[in-house]
Amino acid sequence: GIYREKYRAVLVDEYQDVSRATTKLLQQICGEENPPWVVGDKRQSIFAFCGAAPENVDEFVNDFPGAVKFSLQTNYRSCKEIVETANQMASLMFKDNNSPEHELPNWKAHESNPNAVFQPVVSTATANSDRAEYEEIAKQIKDWATKKVPLADIAVLSRRNVDVRDIVL
């Protein structure tokens, strides 16, 4: 009714971080004939602790039957090394939840990325305990620091914030 007339176009950014209740509300506001435009990547969901449902990304075409889904395959913001590492981490993190119909696409790095001002060195590690993970991260940072890599140039990507906040070098 009234909201469908008022809001003819609805855009939702970070759709992986909305709740199922939000999806139901969007269905009521938009209606079947006018699905919302959404942007989301379930690999980037960070608000599960407050009800976010990353499966919304997979369920979008079911929740909004007239919608069309486009997948962006090229990452224009990161260099090849970072993109390859992100793909590797995503495949490990989502391997148990990845059924064939919800398979994660691999991003591709844009070949002539204007933002690539340096050639990063990426190191990945797998650990069988939190302590082993902390020790490996600390060891790698100390190794780079010994090789005169400025600490400001070192970044640690982890599955969760808690995984790196208590590391002591």
Side-chain angles (χ1 to χ4, degrees), residues 25-38:
L25 177 63
L26 284 168
Q27 287 172 327
Q28 294 301 309
I29 291 173
C30 298
E32 287 187 23
E33 68 285 348
N34 188 29
W37 284 75
V38 304

Side-chain angles (χ1 to χ4, degrees), residues 6 11 22 29 42 68 70 74 78 82 89 98 101 119 140 143-144 148 152 169:
K6 186 174 181 179
L11 170 66
T22 302
I29 291 173
K42 69 181 180 179
V68 178
F70 297 96
T74 303
S78 297
I82 300 297
M89 289 180 74
N98 227 6
E101 66 271 11
Q119 193 72 20
Q140 182 63 65
D143 180 54
W144 283 333
K148 306 294 187 221
L169 297 177

Side-chain angles (χ1 to χ4, degrees), residues 120-139:
V121 174
V122 178
S123 174
T124 59
T126 303
N128 59 8
S129 71
D130 288 346
R131 182 163 181 80
E133 184 174 14
Y134 300 158
E135 290 171 359
E136 184 61 33
I137 293 169
K139 179 181 161 205

Side-chain angles (χ1 to χ4, degrees), residues 24-81:
K24 298 299 182 190
L25 177 63
L26 284 168
Q27 287 172 327
Q28 294 301 309
I29 291 173
C30 298
E32 287 187 23
E33 68 285 348
N34 188 29
W37 284 75
V38 304
V39 178
D41 181 348
K42 69 181 180 179
R43 293 174 287 194
Q44 296 184 38
S45 182
I46 59 172
F47 291 106
F49 67 92
C50 62
E55 62 272 10
N56 282 334
V57 174
D58 293 329
E59 295 300 323
F60 180 71
V61 292
N62 296 327
D63 291 334
F64 301 96
V68 178
K69 181 178 177 180
F70 297 96
S71 294
L72 300 177
Q73 301 298 321
T74 303
N75 181 314
Y76 292 90
R77 294 171 24 182
S78 297
C79 63
K80 178 182 173 195
E81 293 82 0

Side-chain angles (χ1 to χ4, degrees), residues 42 58 69 94-105:
K42 69 181 180 179
D58 293 329
K69 181 178 177 180
F94 288 97
K95 71 179 177 182
D96 295 334
N97 300 332
N98 227 6
S99 59
E101 66 271 11
H102 296 135
E103 191 171 320
L104 285 173

